[in-house]
Amino acid sequence: MTVALTSTSRARDGAPPALAFEAAAEAAEIARTYSETAAAFAMIGDRRGLAYALRCASAALLTASQAVEAMRPSDGGAR
């Protein structure tokens, strides 16, 4: 589930690339879907389904977080 983000190149104006924002948004949307699925499994008492959906949501959130970290300036400046 976790997608490696290898491109940390920046636009000429120093802004993070648009693809990084798209990757973060897509991963966050996947996490939302798995979170809703986890809630549904919890409501029906499906322990295995709940555990699986929570693991998937966690992996998607990690991917979104890594996308955001990839957007940090390489010069150490705060944004």
Side-chain angles (χ1 to χ4, degrees):
M1 177 53 131
T2 303
V3 177
L5 299 173
T6 57
S7 176
T8 57
S9 63
R10 300 201 165 271
R12 290 182 191 263
D13 62 358
L19 288 178
F21 284 105
E22 289 178 24
E26 182 178 356
E29 181 65 24
I30 291 168
R32 182 190 64 81
T33 301
Y34 275 118
S35 295
E36 290 174 353
T37 302
F41 280 131
M43 294 297 290
I44 64 171
D46 185 336
R47 183 195 57 78
R48 288 181 65 198
L50 173 60
Y52 177 78
L54 287 174
R55 281 192 306 273
C56 291
S58 176
L61 283 174
L62 177 60
T63 299
S65 177
Q66 289 171 341
V68 172
E69 288 297 316
M71 289 189 256
R72 285 189 159 193
S74 60
D75 63 0
R79 293 202 190 245

